[in-house]
Amino acid sequence: MVDVTGTPDRSPAAGPDAAAPPAPDRPAGLAHRAARRWPTLVAIAILSLLLVAGAVEDFADGLAWAAVLYVMIGAIRGHLRRVRMLAVQLAGVLVFGGLALFAAVLDQPWAAYLLAIGWLGHAVWDAFHLRANVVVPRWYAEACVVLDVLLVVAILALA
């Protein structure tokens, strides 16, 4: 039976011919979920390559370059036309570049701790960009959030 609104009647009196409720959407499995999170998998692969290559010393340079890449990508995508957005991105370059430069002159373990703080701050920076969907593509911001957090863990583990 159907009422005047077109909603199927789910009462037992509706009988076996009553329309069955639609099946809930179920995840298609691990492969489907992994395919949707491919930026996360890319971040894990990048960190693995960095660790295998012994590029731990480059984590400081990477922090500065990560901020510069946001400016470059934002400029290419046309997201930095507003002066305020450009100023925010350039401030990010100064902050993260300054942290990387300062960490380069510190002795261990303080350099590692400062780098970990810098990468954690950059993860927050990436999360903002992911949420706001500005400057960089969403997949890039997602991969960066994951990579940055993994870098924090790696730096502290190696310190």
Side-chain angles (χ1 to χ4, degrees):
M1 292 178 19
V2 176
D3 68 7
V4 293
T5 62
T7 306
D9 183 3
R10 305 259 189 258
S11 67
D17 295 332
D25 291 331
R26 290 186 196 111
L30 182 61
H32 177 71
R33 287 191 300 260
R36 287 186 37 221
R37 297 276 63 100
W38 67 268
T40 297
L41 298 175
V42 167
I44 293 168
I46 290 171
L47 179 68
S48 300
L49 290 173
L50 289 172
L51 291 174
V52 167
V56 176
E57 307 84 35
D58 297 333
F59 288 171
D61 295 341
L63 182 59
W65 277 107
V68 170
L69 280 174
Y70 269 61
V71 173
M72 291 170 42
I73 293 169
I76 290 168
R77 295 183 77 209
H79 286 225
L80 302 182
R81 291 187 181 130
R82 293 190 340 224
V83 174
R84 185 174 180 174
M85 183 60 77
L86 178 61
V88 167
Q89 297 305 314
L90 291 176
V93 170
L94 290 175
V95 168
F96 296 117
L99 282 171
L101 186 61
F102 192 48
V105 299
L106 285 178
D107 292 328
Q108 291 296 339
W110 299 109
Y113 298 147
L114 185 61
L115 271 180
I117 290 168
W119 280 111
L120 189 59
H122 199 269
V124 172
W125 181 259
D126 296 327
F128 163 77
H129 287 84
L130 176 64
R131 177 103 169 115
N133 197 20
V134 294
V135 181
V136 295
R138 290 183 59 80
W139 67 265
Y140 184 91
E142 178 185 332
C144 284
V145 168
V146 173
L147 180 60
D148 294 354
V149 170
L150 292 174
L151 284 171
V152 170
V153 171
I155 290 167
L156 293 176
L158 296 171

